[in-house]
Amino acid sequence: MSKLFQPQLLFSWLSLDVVFGAMASMYFFQELLHVQLDWPIFVLLGLAVWTIYSLDHLLDARKITNTSSPRRAFHRKNQILLAVGILIAVLSGLIGAYFWMGMGKEFQLTLVLALAMFGCRWAIQKFGPILLKEVSIALFYVVGALWLPLLRAESADLSWEILIFATLFFVLALLNLWMLSFLDREEDQQDGFISIASLLLPIQMIQWIRKLAFLGIFVSMVSFIFLTSFYRPFSCILLMIFLVHYLTFFQSQLPVTQKRQRMELAFWIPWLLLWI
């Protein structure tokens, strides 16, 4: 069973589930804003997300010598190979962005956004409160998925409803991070890492997670009922992702590794819009 399960673990350790989830999130906002993006744009987003997550995991793994986390052990063992892969991904992303986007305003704004994200991430890690860590990551995730569809959208499509879905996606990303932080709290404590789950009592963290999940589910249902028919598939998609997270997280018999995988794969659900 372990040998059969290993490819799924490797897929998760390499953050490929997050990559395809981010691409699905961009597709969600593409359809929401009536924009058609070429497939290279999705590849560029995937490269950017993989670089950020892999670099973050690699830097964490280098800070420790012994770890109980299989993910960190994997990154520490393969740090040279992963560092080469990150370098190739960065160079490929820059060359690809220049080739497909040119040196116009869109490329320049995207580059400024990327630099701002890295700057804010570094400042928060060095000086900011721990609470801002998950909040900033969730915000950057949503901005990254929304950025190019927003830049290419027509002014007529920039309605107030877009803000509702962007906010819901932020709540969803934050919920995902809080849940993962809670699941990883023991490994983080053993390896000397501080997260929001290590600052709160388990019962307090569970209450925060439950309230945030209920908020997302409630607003998704309200938007499904009261917004026009065009927005109902998008409300339904978000409701499904919230429910998968809630039901998975509170399923006590499910191993932590499977909980993580199911919650990350939940972000693939927006691909259903391909058939709607």
Side-chain angles (χ1 to χ4, degrees):
M1 181 66 181
S2 60
K3 291 183 179 179
L4 293 175
F5 197 60
Q6 190 64 29
Q8 299 180 28
L9 286 175
L10 185 62
F11 193 81
S12 177
W13 291 343
L14 289 173
S15 301
L16 296 179
D17 49 358
V18 180
V19 168
F20 287 102
M23 294 165 67
S25 300
M26 177 180 276
Y27 187 80
F28 177 93
F29 287 112
Q30 168 189 284
E31 295 300 298
L32 185 64
L33 289 164
H34 298 94
V35 174
Q36 291 298 319
L37 300 175
D38 296 328
W39 66 264
I41 300 298
F42 290 90
V43 175
L44 291 175
L45 176 67
L47 287 172
V49 170
W50 186 83
T51 298
I52 293 170
Y53 273 77
S54 296
L55 182 60
D56 191 52
H57 293 322
L58 189 59
L59 292 175
D60 284 346
R62 289 173 62 88
K63 296 177 182 178
I64 52 179
T65 53
N66 296 311
T67 176
S68 60
S69 169
R71 179 190 294 268
R72 293 190 181 117
F74 169 80
H75 280 81
R76 184 168 181 82
K77 180 180 179 180
N78 300 279
Q79 55 183 307
I80 296 178
L81 183 61
L82 289 170
V84 173
I86 290 172
L87 179 60
I88 293 174
V90 171
L91 294 176
S92 300
L94 290 174
I95 294 172
Y98 174 76
F99 180 79
W100 283 303
M101 299 169 62
M103 282 297 293
K105 185 177 180 180
E106 191 175 86
F107 176 81
Q108 296 174 19
L109 289 175
T110 303
L111 189 59
V112 170
L113 176 66
L115 293 175
M117 285 182 174
F118 276 109
C120 291
R121 185 85 173 94
W122 175 83
I124 290 171
Q125 283 185 326
K126 290 291 184 180
F127 311 109
I130 298 301
L131 181 61
L132 285 181
K133 178 183 176 182
E134 284 84 4
V135 172
S136 63
I137 294 174
L139 180 61
F140 294 158
Y141 182 93
V142 176
V143 171
L146 178 61
W147 185 248
L148 284 177
L150 190 64
L151 288 180
R152 297 190 179 187
E154 300 291 339
S155 57
D157 295 318
L158 300 178
S159 60
W160 61 269
E161 290 91 348
I162 305 302
L163 183 59
I164 293 178
F165 287 102
T167 303
L168 269 176
F169 231 105
F170 167 75
V171 172
L172 175 61
L174 185 59
L175 177 66
N176 175 270
L177 291 168
W178 281 3
M179 288 180 169
L180 295 179
S181 177
F182 183 85
L183 295 177
D184 295 338
R185 68 192 186 284
E186 294 182 0
E187 291 181 353
D188 287 342
Q189 289 175 356
Q190 292 174 7
D191 292 341
F193 292 98
I194 301 176
S195 65
I196 186 174
S198 63
L199 300 178
L200 299 174
L201 294 174
I203 186 63
Q204 291 178 314
M205 193 67 199
I206 290 291
Q207 290 174 349
W208 282 34
I209 288 173
R210 197 183 298 274
K211 290 177 181 178
L212 194 63
F214 283 165
L215 174 64
I217 292 171
F218 175 75
V219 176
S220 297
M221 293 178 64
V222 169
S223 64
F224 180 85
I225 296 171
F226 290 102
L227 295 183
T228 59
S229 59
F230 169 76
Y231 296 105
R232 285 176 182 166
F234 303 98
S235 301
C236 187
I237 290 291
L238 288 177
L239 178 59
M240 290 169 63
I241 303 177
F242 274 112
L243 288 174
V244 169
H245 273 74
Y246 184 84
L247 295 175
T248 299
F249 182 79
F250 288 102
Q251 188 174 349
S252 57
Q253 300 86 356
L254 201 63
V256 171
T257 53
Q258 292 188 28
K259 287 186 178 184
R260 173 184 288 274
Q261 290 169 356
R262 289 189 185 184
M263 289 190 291
E264 295 296 356
L265 290 176
F267 282 91
W268 293 29
I269 293 178
W271 289 123
L272 291 176
L273 292 170
L274 285 167
W275 294 277
I276 297 178

